[in-house]
Amino acid sequence: MNCDTTTQQITLNYQELKDMALQIRRDTIRMISFRGSGHPGGALGIADILAALYGYSMDHAPDRLNDPHRDRLVLSNGHICAAWYSVLSLQGYIPREELSTHRAINSRLQGHPARDKLPLLVETSSGPLGQGLSVANGLALAKRLDGHSGRVYCIVGDGEMQEGIIWEALLTSSHFKLANLTLIVAFNNLQIDGEVAKIKNLEPLAEKLSRFGWKVIDINGHDFDQIVQAFEAAKGEKNQPAVIIARTIMGKGIPFMENDPKWHGACPSPEEAKKALEYLGYASNYSDFPVPEEAE
Amino acid sequence: MNFRSHTPVRDAFGKALLELGNSNPDVVVLTADLTEAIRVHWFAKAFPHRFFQMGISENDMIGTAAGLALAGKIPFVTTFAVFATSLANLPVRLSVGYNQANVKIAASHGGITVGGDGASHQSFDDLALMRMIPGMTVVAPSDATEAYKATLAIAEHKGPVYMRLGRIPTPLITTPESPFNLGKAQVLRAGSDVAIFSIGTMLSITIEAAQTLETKGVSARVINIHTLKPLDSDVILEAARECGCLVTVEEHTILGGLGGAVSEVISCNYPVPIEMVGIKDTFGESGGPEEILKKYGLTARNVVKACYKVIERKRNRA
């Protein structure tokens, strides 16, 4: 772990987080398979990070949406929203049964997160890549201006970092010393056309971001111990923004989906979905969301 | 506030911002390396902690402003019109428009009278680009007095706003006392032979044209459209019914701007002949403001000619 955290050893029962991540993956497969479209690859890859954010790191609660001191999450790579809708339902923000409406007409759960459909929950609508970090900077600046506590988290994809506005925003975060901001780069080294390193290389990313004035924490994004330590290290930083480069695997948890860019935006067939759910197994503390009977 | 004639509209904007800084603690200002050019230096000096210098990063500036707005601030973002609307179009569409974020985009150098800078800096399509975004209010004050009132009004309005500030100093036509209501056009001259609609800095040449027409016995109604969206369709339809023909005048392409917007209203409700004075689907060039206006057909003479032409078309229909 390339992580210079000085925080104390955190002992947690990671089983709870692992269980939540497993349910997020089950939900993701079932939502996308049920509607016949969506983006499974990145969503499966970010499940552990989302479980750790909502289950451990973020200061949040469904009855505190109007509390200006709460933490906020900007999902800049909006296409992975199936996993995010899942964690929102597991945390009591939206009903479990609503997950079956993802991508359907009249649904609040749009194919990319839409603030007009889910005010307060969606901090900013996303979809076109690169846009979220600037908005997250604005949210963090406002917190500072108003003396509100709480952090702003922002998740971006690795391919997304090829957008120019991201680098403008990276400069802004460090120029204004936004220590209340944590950026998470979901780094699975895959984008639609193939390997990020071959399409337009970002590496050495840690070095670049460090030179841009960020505290950089480079971790395995599927290791809960590392994830939790990284969040703590980011919170401990008082003078600069922190970025967690979370090395993840696209399609994580389902062997035939792992590391195959085809699964960025492909829907598994009913047989593939069944097989995927068998690979995943069942979560002990959660159950699958119900789907309308006529569609079964 | 009283201004001297030919005060640039951006000066009035800067003074209004200063007033807002005192009266509304939620107002913050962002700029992209154009602090003095857009006259936000007065605000910056008075309220340094509410002023954000964003560098030459217009896309990022718009996104940051959206975040500030979503957290309850009233951000005024300032840059040149071509950068705010063309360069940063996606963040304006997504992070401001789609979010319905309470961001006020105040853009100077709107139009083609930016002087020697040439076509790359001339903004002849900004009003059309902003008008296409659902929920975006689009405002273009005609003189310093109106720019001052418009700035205060858009700060009160809840929702995204684009305000175009022209480059050239214009004579004062509106008065501090005359009412300014977003979305309500102002009939500045009565008339019954033809109605002329003007937006932004074209108001003075429009008035001049109406005065010329009066000496020839033609009665021209002059209507100041300071708010392109929402458009005051009542005033437009009233003019169509009472005058029977219309002319639009804009320092902007006739495609999708004032000419397009007025045409949409009349063609769907009460079709009458219309002529459009504006940029004819072309890029501009360097030159003095007066030379450019002349070459691209934006003078009082062009307005007079358009009025004769449209009155002729009306007669031929009768």
Side-chain angles (χ1 to χ4, degrees), chain A residues 15-32:
Chain A
Q15 195 49 47
E16 215 170 284
L17 299 182
K18 283 179 184 166
D19 203 41
M20 197 192 309
L22 170 54
Q23 190 59 46
I24 293 171
R25 290 192 168 96
R26 287 191 67 86
D27 287 353
T28 297
I29 291 294
R30 293 182 73 244
M31 287 163 76
I32 291 170

Side-chain angles (χ1 to χ4, degrees), chain A residues 90-135:
Chain A
L90 295 173
Q91 294 285 316
Y93 286 93
I94 56 177
R96 289 287 286 157
E97 57 267 27
E98 194 171 349
L99 294 185
S100 70
T101 71
H102 174 45
R103 288 181 162 248
I105 191 78
N106 298 323
S107 174
R108 297 195 299 170
L109 311 186
Q110 294 287 295
H112 292 88
R115 187 177 167 87
D116 66 333
K117 302 291 191 293
L118 284 173
L120 297 178
L121 278 179
V122 173
E123 300 292 350
T124 181
S125 302
S126 57
L129 295 174
Q131 307 303 312
L133 183 57
S134 298
V135 180

Side-chain angles (χ1 to χ4, degrees), chain B residues 73-117:
Chain B
K73 299 293 161 200
I74 305 173
F76 277 75
V77 292
T78 57
T79 181
F80 290 168
V82 72
F83 306 143
T85 63
S86 275
L87 192 155
N89 192 270
L90 182 84
V92 171
R93 182 181 188 271
L94 180 86
S95 301
V96 177
Y98 192 26
N99 282 331
Q100 288 296 293
N102 195 21
V103 172
K104 317 302 171 185
I105 302 164
S108 80
H109 293 54
I112 59 162
T113 47
V114 298
D117 282 349

Side-chain angles (χ1 to χ4, degrees), chain B residues 96-212:
Chain B
V96 177
Y98 192 26
N99 282 331
Q100 288 296 293
N102 195 21
V103 172
K104 317 302 171 185
I105 302 164
S108 80
H109 293 54
I112 59 162
T113 47
V114 298
D117 282 349
S120 66
H121 280 55
Q122 291 166 334
S123 183
F124 56 86
D125 51 358
D126 54 324
L127 298 175
L129 287 167
M130 294 297 100
R131 192 167 82 82
M132 297 301 136
I133 296 174
M136 180 72 77
T137 294
V138 179
V139 181
S142 59
D143 62 21
T145 307
E146 195 167 67
Y148 187 84
K149 288 188 284 191
T151 305
L152 301 183
I154 66 174
E156 283 292 312
H157 172 79
K158 294 238 182 325
V161 177
Y162 175 71
M163 180 166 71
R164 174 203 252 208
L165 303 167
R167 170 83 163 77
I168 39 169
T170 48
L172 290 179
I173 293 161
T174 66
T175 63
E177 296 75 31
S178 57
F180 179 90
N181 297 308
L182 286 173
K184 291 279 170 233
Q186 252 182 317
V187 180
L188 293 181
R189 264 178 93 96
S192 55
D193 294 328
V194 60
I196 319 175
F197 294 88
S198 164
I199 188 163
T201 46
M202 292 290 96
L203 188 58
S204 62
I205 67 153
T206 302
I207 300 265
E208 192 187 324
Q211 287 164 347
T212 304

Side-chain angles (χ1 to χ4, degrees), chain A residues 131-147:
Chain A
Q131 307 303 312
L133 183 57
S134 298
V135 180
N137 283 336
L139 292 169
L141 278 172
K143 268 191 186 294
R144 181 196 286 173
L145 270 178
D146 288 332

Side-chain angles (χ1 to χ4, degrees), chain A residues 41-59:
Chain A
L44 294 165
I46 202 70
D48 298 321
I49 296 283
L50 284 175
L53 273 172
Y54 281 85
Y56 168 77
S57 186
M58 276 173 64
D59 179 28

Side-chain angles (χ1 to χ4, degrees), chain A residues 63-204:
Chain A
D63 60 358
R64 286 179 54 208
L65 283 174
N66 285 307
D67 177 356
H69 297 285
R70 73 180 168 89
D71 286 354
R72 295 172 185 274
L73 172 66
V74 169
L75 200 65
S76 189
N77 53 343
H79 60 277
I80 64 160
C81 60
W84 182 64
Y85 294 143
S86 164
V87 81
L88 287 183
S89 75
L90 295 173
Q91 294 285 316
Y93 286 93
I94 56 177
R96 289 287 286 157
E97 57 267 27
E98 194 171 349
L99 294 185
S100 70
T101 71
H102 174 45
R103 288 181 162 248
I105 191 78
N106 298 323
S107 174
R108 297 195 299 170
L109 311 186
Q110 294 287 295
H112 292 88
R115 187 177 167 87
D116 66 333
K117 302 291 191 293
L118 284 173
L120 297 178
L121 278 179
V122 173
E123 300 292 350
T124 181
S125 302
S126 57
L129 295 174
Q131 307 303 312
L133 183 57
S134 298
V135 180
N137 283 336
L139 292 169
L141 278 172
K143 268 191 186 294
R144 181 196 286 173
L145 270 178
D146 288 332
H148 293 149
S149 60
R151 302 186 68 73
V152 178
Y153 290 87
C154 177
I155 302 178
V156 299
D158 49 1
E160 177 172 15
M161 297 196 79
Q162 291 160 352
E163 289 283 1
I165 184 175
I166 286 283
W167 297 89
E168 295 179 13
L170 287 166
L171 288 175
T172 296
S173 321
S174 65
H175 180 79
F176 289 103
K177 298 186 173 18
L178 295 177
N180 57 351
L181 176 78
T182 301
L183 173 66
I184 299 154
V185 180
F187 201 113
N188 58 28
N189 196 30
L190 287 176
Q191 54 190 111
I192 293 176
D193 276 358
E195 274 180 55
V196 175
K198 286 186 182 159
I199 287 164
K200 189 173 273 185
N201 192 16
L202 293 169
E203 300 283 17

Side-chain angles (χ1 to χ4, degrees), chain A residues 245-261:
Chain A
I245 303 175
R247 309 283 173 174
T248 57
I249 295 170
M250 184 189 269
K252 171 74 176 175
I254 299 165
F256 65 88
M257 287 186 164
E258 286 185 0
N259 282 318
D260 182 351

